Amino acid sequence: MTRVKPYWQNYIDGAWVDGGAGRVEVINPGSGDVLAEHALADETDVDRAVHAAKRVHESGALPAMRPVERGRMVQAMGRYLLDHIDEVARILTLEQGKPLWEAQHEIAGAARYFEYYGNQAETLEGRSIPLGSGYFDFTHYEPYGVSAQIIPWNFPVEMTARSLSAGLATGNACVVKTPELTPLSSWVFADAAEAVGLPKGAVNVLCGWGHQAGAVLSAHKDVNQIVFTGSVKTGIAIATAAAQNVVPCVLELGGKSAAIVYDDVDLDAFEIDIRQGIFKNAGQVCSAMSRVLVHQNRHDDVVDRAVKIAKSLSVGPGSERVEAGLNMGPMVSMAQRDRAVAMVAEAERQGANIATGGRRMNIPGAFLEPTVLTDVSPEMTIAQEEVFGPVLSIIPFQDESQAIEIANGTEYGLVGGVFTRDLDRATRAAQRIRAGQIFVNQWFAGGVETPFGGYGKSGYGREKGREALLNYVQTKNVAISIK
Ligand code: NAD
């Protein structure tokens, strides 16, 4: 394995620069060692980035392009990611922890966003509204201007790609605030923007503390639209800042999503959903399958399968987990791991049973044993709050209405799932679960084409799919009086 560059800079107005707030050490969670340092932006850096983006917007360079041309540039950014997939995946694994094969999937997924939204650039059309013979009226979409994109550490490349691709495809200039735990892999977006010939300042990528650079960016008066993925607490702070400037924001916050598993479930297939749903990225997924609600007749079978999957996972450094399969990396940091351990201990105090896992692993790094909890009741903290770790809570139910009530019994509403061969039952559940996205018989079914976002405290607005493009544009109506 080649050496990681010891120091990484921010990218503002087409130049690599140091940060006014100094540097942050980026820790490899697979070993606990310092991996590299990254520049930290201060208020002045954020201001320069926003002004660069504003200048690009006001120049009209991006909106003036024929959309197909802009779309081709966006698509080319996706190809740039694929051309560098091995390099980016390696860095992503080292800074974030996920197995190398999951990192490769993440980069490929990121590239798909550029392909998808690049394709859509020329399809965003207004409409003509009849007002009678004295008028000709039409609408068209214009970019907001400066799009601020605040990124979490769980899928830093994919999350950046989904906002940046849609923002650029619609003609916005973008300022990306990368997460302080995993800022390194985002260098590729700056390189890609340069490689495809976007004007300087159209894409700015900077790392900084959330409470400092993040807060300054979200409150900046020249930012016209904000996209945020992360915790509810930060989402509220960002929405409050956006409200002060009367600019729209999209909030993609957490979840406590439930799979409802009926007695006719295909358990062999469901094993794959357990691996993917709660142990992918060590459970640090906003749409993780963190609760399984299982019909009481199959409770013990599902517990056995979940424990089997958890115990069969080979857990260790992501860089050594190259092949797709039953393996898992560390959590992103010691702090996140310790928070999850504390939540499991609290669940035990409240009466839950640890069927397997629940402890820190006795190796260097931020490792938590894959964990399955039983005897969980719906009102326990562990069943209400996001753990954001490899911790599955299994809760039995007796009938359909009880299952739906438990599924809907948290303040979140990001995704929900139903596992049954009975189409009527699946359809009823799909209607009644309060969540932005429902999976039937496959957790994470969908793709970049399908809209994604939350009900309740899981946020508002949609990322992914056609719907997301509309977050990046405002409608202008032109009414012409004909004499
Ligand atoms: P966070 O919400 O604090 O951080 C996410 C991003 O927001 C980071 O880039 C951070 O720098 C920035 N940020 C933080 N405070 C800010 C502020 N006041 N103004 C503007 N930006 C700010 O999340 P975290 O501390 O990294 O993780 C804490 C919890 O958040 C996790 O345990 C998990 O429950 C949740 N989380 C959810 C997701 C998700 O995909 N929904 C992703 C990451 C974290």
Side-chain angles (χ1 to χ4, degrees), residues 132-178:
S133 62
Y135 298 94
F136 179 50
D137 187 284
F138 62 93
T139 65
H140 73 114
Y141 292 118
E142 293 186 344
Y144 276 106
V146 177
S147 171
Q149 308 177 347
I150 300 176
I151 308 297
W153 43 257
N154 56 337
F155 291 94
V157 178
E158 205 163 335
M159 301 293 99
T160 302
R162 77 181 183 188
S163 301
L164 192 57
S165 58
L168 292 171
T170 44
N172 294 275
C174 302
V175 179
V176 178
K177 210 296 277 169
T178 63

mmCIF file of all heavy atoms in Angstrom, residues 132-178:
data_model
loop_
_atom_site.group_PDB
_atom_site.id
_atom_site.type_symbol
_atom_site.label_atom_id
_atom_site.label_comp_id
_atom_site.label_asym_id
_atom_site.label_seq_id
_atom_site.Cartn_x
_atom_site.Cartn_y
_atom_site.Cartn_z
ATOM 1 N N GLY A 132 -55.858 32.817 -21.965
ATOM 2 C CA GLY A 132 -56.770 33.463 -22.912
ATOM 3 C C GLY A 132 -55.975 34.131 -24.032
ATOM 4 O O GLY A 132 -54.743 34.204 -23.987
ATOM 5 N N SER A 133 -56.711 34.675 -25.016
ATOM 6 C CA SER A 133 -56.044 35.102 -26.246
ATOM 7 C C SER A 133 -55.150 36.326 -26.061
ATOM 8 O O SER A 133 -54.282 36.596 -26.884
ATOM 9 C CB SER A 133 -57.077 35.380 -27.329
ATOM 10 O OG SER A 133 -57.911 36.443 -26.905
ATOM 11 N N GLY A 134 -55.322 37.086 -24.975
ATOM 12 C CA GLY A 134 -54.511 38.299 -24.807
ATOM 13 C C GLY A 134 -53.137 38.057 -24.202
ATOM 14 O O GLY A 134 -52.379 39.013 -23.987
ATOM 15 N N TYR A 135 -52.811 36.821 -23.901
ATOM 16 C CA TYR A 135 -51.547 36.562 -23.194
ATOM 17 C C TYR A 135 -50.833 35.333 -23.741
ATOM 18 O O TYR A 135 -51.449 34.406 -24.272
ATOM 19 C CB TYR A 135 -51.819 36.295 -21.709
ATOM 20 C CG TYR A 135 -52.446 37.468 -21.001
ATOM 21 C CD1 TYR A 135 -53.827 37.542 -20.876
ATOM 22 C CD2 TYR A 135 -51.652 38.482 -20.464
ATOM 23 C CE1 TYR A 135 -54.424 38.617 -20.248
ATOM 24 C CE2 TYR A 135 -52.244 39.557 -19.827
ATOM 25 C CZ TYR A 135 -53.628 39.626 -19.719
ATOM 26 O OH TYR A 135 -54.210 40.689 -19.105
ATOM 27 N N PHE A 136 -49.541 35.372 -23.539
ATOM 28 C CA PHE A 136 -48.749 34.150 -23.715
ATOM 29 C C PHE A 136 -47.937 34.008 -22.431
ATOM 30 O O PHE A 136 -47.241 34.941 -22.021
ATOM 31 C CB PHE A 136 -47.839 34.288 -24.935
ATOM 32 C CG PHE A 136 -46.988 33.079 -25.163
ATOM 33 C CD1 PHE A 136 -47.549 31.806 -25.175
ATOM 34 C CD2 PHE A 136 -45.624 33.198 -25.348
ATOM 35 C CE1 PHE A 136 -46.765 30.685 -25.368
ATOM 36 C CE2 PHE A 136 -44.828 32.078 -25.538
ATOM 37 C CZ PHE A 136 -45.411 30.826 -25.561
ATOM 38 N N ASP A 137 -48.083 32.866 -21.766
ATOM 39 C CA ASP A 137 -47.473 32.690 -20.440
ATOM 40 C C ASP A 137 -46.672 31.387 -20.404
ATOM 41 O O ASP A 137 -47.142 30.360 -20.894
ATOM 42 C CB ASP A 137 -48.581 32.643 -19.382
ATOM 43 C CG ASP A 137 -48.033 32.632 -17.971
ATOM 44 O OD1 ASP A 137 -47.547 31.555 -17.532
ATOM 45 O OD2 ASP A 137 -48.078 33.669 -17.298
ATOM 46 N N PHE A 138 -45.499 31.487 -19.845
ATOM 47 C CA PHE A 138 -44.716 30.243 -19.686
ATOM 48 C C PHE A 138 -43.854 30.324 -18.434
ATOM 49 O O PHE A 138 -43.596 31.418 -17.908
ATOM 50 C CB PHE A 138 -43.845 29.973 -20.925
ATOM 51 C CG PHE A 138 -42.818 31.025 -21.198
ATOM 52 C CD1 PHE A 138 -41.532 30.902 -20.704
ATOM 53 C CD2 PHE A 138 -43.130 32.142 -21.964
ATOM 54 C CE1 PHE A 138 -40.576 31.880 -20.951
ATOM 55 C CE2 PHE A 138 -42.177 33.120 -22.225
ATOM 56 C CZ PHE A 138 -40.894 32.991 -21.713
ATOM 57 N N THR A 139 -43.454 29.159 -17.964
ATOM 58 C CA THR A 139 -42.557 29.094 -16.813
ATOM 59 C C THR A 139 -41.219 28.518 -17.264
ATOM 60 O O THR A 139 -41.150 27.790 -18.261
ATOM 61 C CB THR A 139 -43.087 28.161 -15.710
ATOM 62 O OG1 THR A 139 -43.106 26.822 -16.209
ATOM 63 C CG2 THR A 139 -44.486 28.566 -15.257
ATOM 64 N N HIS A 140 -40.197 28.882 -16.539
ATOM 65 C CA HIS A 140 -38.951 28.128 -16.705
ATOM 66 C C HIS A 140 -38.206 28.094 -15.385
ATOM 67 O O HIS A 140 -38.538 28.822 -14.448
ATOM 68 C CB HIS A 140 -38.109 28.648 -17.873
ATOM 69 C CG HIS A 140 -37.429 29.940 -17.660
ATOM 70 N ND1 HIS A 140 -36.074 30.060 -17.612
ATOM 71 C CD2 HIS A 140 -37.917 31.183 -17.473
ATOM 72 C CE1 HIS A 140 -35.760 31.329 -17.404
ATOM 73 N NE2 HIS A 140 -36.858 32.030 -17.322
ATOM 74 N N TYR A 141 -37.250 27.182 -15.315
ATOM 75 C CA TYR A 141 -36.518 26.976 -14.066
ATOM 76 C C TYR A 141 -35.175 27.680 -14.109
ATOM 77 O O TYR A 141 -34.447 27.583 -15.098
ATOM 78 C CB TYR A 141 -36.275 25.483 -13.846
ATOM 79 C CG TYR A 141 -37.523 24.694 -13.569
ATOM 80 C CD1 TYR A 141 -37.937 23.683 -14.435
ATOM 81 C CD2 TYR A 141 -38.292 24.953 -12.433
ATOM 82 C CE1 TYR A 141 -39.079 22.945 -14.172
ATOM 83 C CE2 TYR A 141 -39.438 24.217 -12.176
ATOM 84 C CZ TYR A 141 -39.824 23.209 -13.043
ATOM 85 O OH TYR A 141 -40.943 22.487 -12.794
ATOM 86 N N GLU A 142 -34.872 28.360 -13.020
ATOM 87 C CA GLU A 142 -33.557 29.000 -12.913
ATOM 88 C C GLU A 142 -32.845 28.460 -11.676
ATOM 89 O O GLU A 142 -33.495 28.172 -10.661
ATOM 90 C CB GLU A 142 -33.724 30.521 -12.771
ATOM 91 C CG GLU A 142 -34.293 31.156 -14.037
ATOM 92 C CD GLU A 142 -34.334 32.684 -13.978
ATOM 93 O OE1 GLU A 142 -34.207 33.240 -12.867
ATOM 94 O OE2 GLU A 142 -34.493 33.286 -15.043
ATOM 95 N N PRO A 143 -31.515 28.349 -11.736
ATOM 96 C CA PRO A 143 -30.789 27.888 -10.546
ATOM 97 C C PRO A 143 -30.915 28.914 -9.423
ATOM 98 O O PRO A 143 -31.087 30.103 -9.685
ATOM 99 C CB PRO A 143 -29.342 27.795 -11.030
ATOM 100 C CG PRO A 143 -29.275 28.661 -12.242
ATOM 101 C CD PRO A 143 -30.635 28.645 -12.861
ATOM 102 N N TYR A 144 -30.791 28.450 -8.178
ATOM 103 C CA TYR A 144 -30.837 29.396 -7.060
ATOM 104 C C TYR A 144 -29.626 30.325 -7.075
ATOM 105 O O TYR A 144 -29.705 31.481 -6.714
ATOM 106 C CB TYR A 144 -30.876 28.649 -5.726
ATOM 107 C CG TYR A 144 -32.277 28.235 -5.346
ATOM 108 C CD1 TYR A 144 -32.690 26.915 -5.447
ATOM 109 C CD2 TYR A 144 -33.175 29.189 -4.889
ATOM 110 C CE1 TYR A 144 -33.978 26.546 -5.103
ATOM 111 C CE2 TYR A 144 -34.474 28.830 -4.542
ATOM 112 C CZ TYR A 144 -34.869 27.508 -4.650
ATOM 113 O OH TYR A 144 -36.141 27.169 -4.314
ATOM 114 N N GLY A 145 -28.478 29.760 -7.428
ATOM 115 C CA GLY A 145 -27.251 30.573 -7.418
ATOM 116 C C GLY A 145 -26.133 29.850 -6.699
ATOM 117 O O GLY A 145 -25.446 29.027 -7.285
ATOM 118 N N VAL A 146 -25.977 30.128 -5.406
ATOM 119 C CA VAL A 146 -24.922 29.471 -4.626
ATOM 120 C C VAL A 146 -25.567 28.386 -3.762
ATOM 121 O O VAL A 146 -26.401 28.678 -2.901
ATOM 122 C CB VAL A 146 -24.173 30.482 -3.730
ATOM 123 C CG1 VAL A 146 -23.126 29.755 -2.884
ATOM 124 C CG2 VAL A 146 -23.531 31.573 -4.578
ATOM 125 N N SER A 147 -25.172 27.166 -4.016
ATOM 126 C CA SER A 147 -25.685 26.020 -3.259
ATOM 127 C C SER A 147 -24.639 25.598 -2.228
ATOM 128 O O SER A 147 -23.499 25.283 -2.589
ATOM 129 C CB SER A 147 -25.982 24.866 -4.226
ATOM 130 O OG SER A 147 -26.269 23.682 -3.519
ATOM 131 N N ALA A 148 -25.013 25.606 -0.942
ATOM 132 C CA ALA A 148 -24.107 25.166 0.124
ATOM 133 C C ALA A 148 -24.464 23.731 0.501
ATOM 134 O O ALA A 148 -25.634 23.428 0.744
ATOM 135 C CB ALA A 148 -24.248 26.074 1.341
ATOM 136 N N GLN A 149 -23.462 22.876 0.530
ATOM 137 C CA GLN A 149 -23.725 21.451 0.731
ATOM 138 C C GLN A 149 -22.886 20.954 1.904
ATOM 139 O O GLN A 149 -21.659 20.929 1.837
ATOM 140 C CB GLN A 149 -23.416 20.713 -0.577
ATOM 141 C CG GLN A 149 -24.166 21.385 -1.731
ATOM 142 C CD GLN A 149 -23.916 20.806 -3.103
ATOM 143 O OE1 GLN A 149 -22.989 20.016 -3.297
ATOM 144 N NE2 GLN A 149 -24.738 21.197 -4.060
ATOM 145 N N ILE A 150 -23.566 20.587 2.990
ATOM 146 C CA ILE A 150 -22.863 20.206 4.226
ATOM 147 C C ILE A 150 -22.983 18.683 4.381
ATOM 148 O O ILE A 150 -24.080 18.135 4.432
ATOM 149 C CB ILE A 150 -23.439 20.983 5.423
ATOM 150 C CG1 ILE A 150 -23.240 22.491 5.164
ATOM 151 C CG2 ILE A 150 -22.756 20.555 6.728
ATOM 152 C CD1 ILE A 150 -23.823 23.416 6.198
ATOM 153 N N ILE A 151 -21.835 18.055 4.444
ATOM 154 C CA ILE A 151 -21.731 16.607 4.183
ATOM 155 C C ILE A 151 -21.397 15.836 5.464
ATOM 156 O O ILE A 151 -20.553 16.281 6.244
ATOM 157 C CB ILE A 151 -20.618 16.369 3.120
ATOM 158 C CG1 ILE A 151 -20.841 17.257 1.873
ATOM 159 C CG2 ILE A 151 -20.496 14.906 2.749
ATOM 160 C CD1 ILE A 151 -22.104 17.005 1.101
ATOM 161 N N PRO A 152 -22.014 14.658 5.647
ATOM 162 C CA PRO A 152 -21.682 13.824 6.812
ATOM 163 C C PRO A 152 -20.542 12.846 6.494
ATOM 164 O O PRO A 152 -20.144 12.698 5.346
ATOM 165 C CB PRO A 152 -22.978 13.061 7.045
ATOM 166 C CG PRO A 152 -23.499 12.832 5.666
ATOM 167 C CD PRO A 152 -23.093 14.038 4.840
ATOM 168 N N TRP A 153 -20.083 12.172 7.539
ATOM 169 C CA TRP A 153 -18.906 11.316 7.394
ATOM 170 C C TRP A 153 -19.235 9.862 7.030
ATOM 171 O O TRP A 153 -18.327 9.068 6.841
ATOM 172 C CB TRP A 153 -18.100 11.318 8.698
ATOM 173 C CG TRP A 153 -18.961 11.209 9.945
ATOM 174 C CD1 TRP A 153 -19.292 12.241 10.784
ATOM 175 C CD2 TRP A 153 -19.615 10.050 10.472
ATOM 176 N NE1 TRP A 153 -20.111 11.778 11.798
ATOM 177 C CE2 TRP A 153 -20.325 10.437 11.632
ATOM 178 C CE3 TRP A 153 -19.674 8.701 10.081
ATOM 179 C CZ2 TRP A 153 -21.086 9.542 12.400
ATOM 180 C CZ3 TRP A 153 -20.429 7.822 10.848
ATOM 181 C CH2 TRP A 153 -21.122 8.247 11.983
ATOM 182 N N ASN A 154 -20.515 9.515 6.992
ATOM 183 C CA ASN A 154 -20.796 8.077 6.793
ATOM 184 C C ASN A 154 -20.653 7.635 5.334
ATOM 185 O O ASN A 154 -20.177 6.538 5.058
ATOM 186 C CB ASN A 154 -22.148 7.684 7.390
ATOM 187 C CG ASN A 154 -23.304 8.485 6.857
ATOM 188 O OD1 ASN A 154 -23.134 9.597 6.362
ATOM 189 N ND2 ASN A 154 -24.494 7.941 6.965
ATOM 190 N N PHE A 155 -21.091 8.512 4.395
ATOM 191 C CA PHE A 155 -20.881 8.257 2.960
ATOM 192 C C PHE A 155 -20.398 9.561 2.331
ATOM 193 O O PHE A 155 -21.115 10.165 1.517
ATOM 194 C CB PHE A 155 -22.178 7.795 2.283
ATOM 195 C CG PHE A 155 -22.627 6.433 2.692
ATOM 196 C CD1 PHE A 155 -23.535 6.266 3.727
ATOM 197 C CD2 PHE A 155 -22.137 5.300 2.056
ATOM 198 C CE1 PHE A 155 -23.948 5.002 4.125
ATOM 199 C CE2 PHE A 155 -22.545 4.033 2.446
ATOM 200 C CZ PHE A 155 -23.455 3.880 3.478
ATOM 201 N N PRO A 156 -19.207 10.024 2.692
ATOM 202 C CA PRO A 156 -18.829 11.375 2.257
ATOM 203 C C PRO A 156 -18.763 11.540 0.743
ATOM 204 O O PRO A 156 -19.122 12.599 0.226
ATOM 205 C CB PRO A 156 -17.449 11.578 2.905
ATOM 206 C CG PRO A 156 -16.966 10.211 3.259
ATOM 207 C CD PRO A 156 -18.186 9.377 3.505
ATOM 208 N N VAL A 157 -18.336 10.498 0.033
ATOM 209 C CA VAL A 157 -18.195 10.641 -1.423
ATOM 210 C C VAL A 157 -19.574 10.594 -2.087
ATOM 211 O O VAL A 157 -19.922 11.427 -2.927
ATOM 212 C CB VAL A 157 -17.256 9.553 -1.991
ATOM 213 C CG1 VAL A 157 -17.148 9.671 -3.498
ATOM 214 C CG2 VAL A 157 -15.876 9.667 -1.347
ATOM 215 N N GLU A 158 -20.378 9.642 -1.661
ATOM 216 C CA GLU A 158 -21.699 9.497 -2.281
ATOM 217 C C GLU A 158 -22.604 10.692 -1.964
ATOM 218 O O GLU A 158 -23.327 11.188 -2.836
ATOM 219 C CB GLU A 158 -22.339 8.185 -1.818
ATOM 220 C CG GLU A 158 -23.345 7.687 -2.806
ATOM 221 C CD GLU A 158 -23.711 6.223 -2.612
ATOM 222 O OE1 GLU A 158 -22.911 5.448 -2.058
ATOM 223 O OE2 GLU A 158 -24.822 5.867 -3.020
ATOM 224 N N MET A 159 -22.570 11.138 -0.708
ATOM 225 C CA MET A 159 -23.436 12.266 -0.344
ATOM 226 C C MET A 159 -23.030 13.529 -1.103
ATOM 227 O O MET A 159 -23.879 14.290 -1.569
ATOM 228 C CB MET A 159 -23.367 12.563 1.157
ATOM 229 C CG MET A 159 -23.755 11.439 2.087
ATOM 230 S SD MET A 159 -25.471 10.971 2.010
ATOM 231 C CE MET A 159 -25.367 9.542 0.957
ATOM 232 N N THR A 160 -21.724 13.764 -1.218
ATOM 233 C CA THR A 160 -21.269 14.937 -1.974
ATOM 234 C C THR A 160 -21.701 14.816 -3.432
ATOM 235 O O THR A 160 -22.207 15.769 -4.026
ATOM 236 C CB THR A 160 -19.735 15.079 -1.892
ATOM 237 O OG1 THR A 160 -19.369 15.176 -0.516
ATOM 238 C CG2 THR A 160 -19.250 16.309 -2.634
ATOM 239 N N ALA A 161 -21.532 13.607 -3.970
ATOM 240 C CA ALA A 161 -21.871 13.414 -5.386
ATOM 241 C C ALA A 161 -23.343 13.700 -5.647
ATOM 242 O O ALA A 161 -23.695 14.326 -6.650
ATOM 243 C CB ALA A 161 -21.530 11.981 -5.806
ATOM 244 N N ARG A 162 -24.218 13.268 -4.738
ATOM 245 C CA ARG A 162 -25.641 13.415 -5.057
ATOM 246 C C ARG A 162 -26.067 14.878 -5.032
ATOM 247 O O ARG A 162 -26.884 15.301 -5.840
ATOM 248 C CB ARG A 162 -26.521 12.519 -4.183
ATOM 249 C CG ARG A 162 -26.773 12.961 -2.787
ATOM 250 C CD ARG A 162 -27.647 11.948 -2.043
ATOM 251 N NE ARG A 162 -27.931 12.442 -0.713
ATOM 252 C CZ ARG A 162 -28.523 11.748 0.234
ATOM 253 N NH1 ARG A 162 -28.888 10.502 -0.005
ATOM 254 N NH2 ARG A 162 -28.762 12.264 1.408
ATOM 255 N N SER A 163 -25.462 15.677 -4.143
ATOM 256 C CA SER A 163 -25.823 17.096 -4.106
ATOM 257 C C SER A 163 -25.100 17.872 -5.210
ATOM 258 O O SER A 163 -25.703 18.708 -5.890
ATOM 259 C CB SER A 163 -25.474 17.694 -2.750
ATOM 260 O OG SER A 163 -26.156 17.012 -1.725
ATOM 261 N N LEU A 164 -23.818 17.593 -5.364
ATOM 262 C CA LEU A 164 -23.013 18.354 -6.320
ATOM 263 C C LEU A 164 -23.495 18.124 -7.762
ATOM 264 O O LEU A 164 -23.603 19.074 -8.549
ATOM 265 C CB LEU A 164 -21.547 17.927 -6.172
ATOM 266 C CG LEU A 164 -20.477 18.757 -6.845
ATOM 267 C CD1 LEU A 164 -20.528 20.207 -6.374
ATOM 268 C CD2 LEU A 164 -19.091 18.165 -6.545
ATOM 269 N N SER A 165 -23.807 16.871 -8.082
ATOM 270 C CA SER A 165 -24.219 16.568 -9.457
ATOM 271 C C SER A 165 -25.529 17.272 -9.798
ATOM 272 O O SER A 165 -25.663 17.867 -10.873
ATOM 273 C CB SER A 165 -24.357 15.055 -9.651
ATOM 274 O OG SER A 165 -25.301 14.538 -8.731
ATOM 275 N N ALA A 166 -26.490 17.239 -8.870
ATOM 276 C CA ALA A 166 -27.779 17.882 -9.138
ATOM 277 C C ALA A 166 -27.619 19.402 -9.138
ATOM 278 O O ALA A 166 -28.223 20.106 -9.955
ATOM 279 C CB ALA A 166 -28.808 17.456 -8.090
ATOM 280 N N GLY A 167 -26.777 19.906 -8.230
ATOM 281 C CA GLY A 167 -26.548 21.353 -8.165
ATOM 282 C C GLY A 167 -25.926 21.881 -9.449
ATOM 283 O O GLY A 167 -26.350 22.911 -9.980
ATOM 284 N N LEU A 168 -24.916 21.179 -9.958
ATOM 285 C CA LEU A 168 -24.237 21.633 -11.173
ATOM 286 C C LEU A 168 -25.107 21.425 -12.413
ATOM 287 O O LEU A 168 -25.138 22.277 -13.307
ATOM 288 C CB LEU A 168 -22.903 20.889 -11.342
ATOM 289 C CG LEU A 168 -21.816 21.207 -10.313
ATOM 290 C CD1 LEU A 168 -20.636 20.244 -10.462
ATOM 291 C CD2 LEU A 168 -21.332 22.658 -10.449
ATOM 292 N N ALA A 169 -25.808 20.300 -12.452
ATOM 293 C CA ALA A 169 -26.643 20.010 -13.627
ATOM 294 C C ALA A 169 -27.684 21.103 -13.835
ATOM 295 O O ALA A 169 -28.064 21.414 -14.969
ATOM 296 C CB ALA A 169 -27.322 18.649 -13.473
ATOM 297 N N THR A 170 -28.146 21.701 -12.738
ATOM 298 C CA THR A 170 -29.154 22.748 -12.832
ATOM 299 C C THR A 170 -28.516 24.141 -12.917
ATOM 300 O O THR A 170 -29.229 25.144 -12.927
ATOM 301 C CB THR A 170 -30.093 22.679 -11.612
ATOM 302 O OG1 THR A 170 -29.301 22.495 -10.439
ATOM 303 C CG2 THR A 170 -31.084 21.541 -11.729
ATOM 304 N N GLY A 171 -27.182 24.210 -12.928
ATOM 305 C CA GLY A 171 -26.519 25.490 -13.182
ATOM 306 C C GLY A 171 -26.148 26.291 -11.951
ATOM 307 O O GLY A 171 -25.865 27.487 -12.048
ATOM 308 N N ASN A 172 -26.147 25.647 -10.776
ATOM 309 C CA ASN A 172 -25.714 26.341 -9.558
ATOM 310 C C ASN A 172 -24.199 26.262 -9.416
ATOM 311 O O ASN A 172 -23.558 25.330 -9.917
ATOM 312 C CB ASN A 172 -26.333 25.684 -8.318
ATOM 313 C CG ASN A 172 -27.832 25.844 -8.261
ATOM 314 O OD1 ASN A 172 -28.331 26.855 -7.783
ATOM 315 N ND2 ASN A 172 -28.566 24.852 -8.781
ATOM 316 N N ALA A 173 -23.621 27.199 -8.677
ATOM 317 C CA ALA A 173 -22.226 27.094 -8.250
ATOM 318 C C ALA A 173 -22.256 26.589 -6.802
ATOM 319 O O ALA A 173 -23.163 26.939 -6.043
ATOM 320 C CB ALA A 173 -21.538 28.447 -8.327
ATOM 321 N N CYS A 174 -21.286 25.747 -6.426
ATOM 322 C CA CYS A 174 -21.436 24.984 -5.182
ATOM 323 C C CYS A 174 -20.267 25.189 -4.222
ATOM 324 O O CYS A 174 -19.108 25.283 -4.646
ATOM 325 C CB CYS A 174 -21.549 23.496 -5.509
ATOM 326 S SG CYS A 174 -22.935 23.123 -6.616
ATOM 327 N N VAL A 175 -20.618 25.231 -2.945
ATOM 328 C CA VAL A 175 -19.607 25.214 -1.876
ATOM 329 C C VAL A 175 -19.892 23.983 -1.020
ATOM 330 O O VAL A 175 -20.960 23.874 -0.418
ATOM 331 C CB VAL A 175 -19.669 26.482 -1.007
ATOM 332 C CG1 VAL A 175 -18.617 26.416 0.096
ATOM 333 C CG2 VAL A 175 -19.480 27.733 -1.855
ATOM 334 N N VAL A 176 -18.926 23.068 -0.993
ATOM 335 C CA VAL A 176 -19.087 21.813 -0.256
ATOM 336 C C VAL A 176 -18.302 21.904 1.048
ATOM 337 O O VAL A 176 -17.107 22.193 1.035
ATOM 338 C CB VAL A 176 -18.559 20.624 -1.097
ATOM 339 C CG1 VAL A 176 -18.670 19.323 -0.314
ATOM 340 C CG2 VAL A 176 -19.294 20.529 -2.424
ATOM 341 N N LYS A 177 -18.983 21.658 2.181
ATOM 342 C CA LYS A 177 -18.290 21.600 3.485
ATOM 343 C C LYS A 177 -18.153 20.133 3.827
ATOM 344 O O LYS A 177 -19.119 19.453 4.138
ATOM 345 C CB LYS A 177 -19.114 22.336 4.540
ATOM 346 C CG LYS A 177 -18.305 22.964 5.663
ATOM 347 C CD LYS A 177 -17.546 21.989 6.549
ATOM 348 C CE LYS A 177 -18.416 21.398 7.627
ATOM 349 N NZ LYS A 177 -17.770 20.273 8.330
ATOM 350 N N THR A 178 -16.916 19.640 3.777
ATOM 351 C CA THR A 178 -16.690 18.209 3.995
ATOM 352 C C THR A 178 -16.664 17.912 5.493
ATOM 353 O O THR A 178 -16.418 18.800 6.305
ATOM 354 C CB THR A 178 -15.364 17.759 3.344
ATOM 355 O OG1 THR A 178 -14.283 18.450 3.992
ATOM 356 C CG2 THR A 178 -15.351 18.077 1.866
#
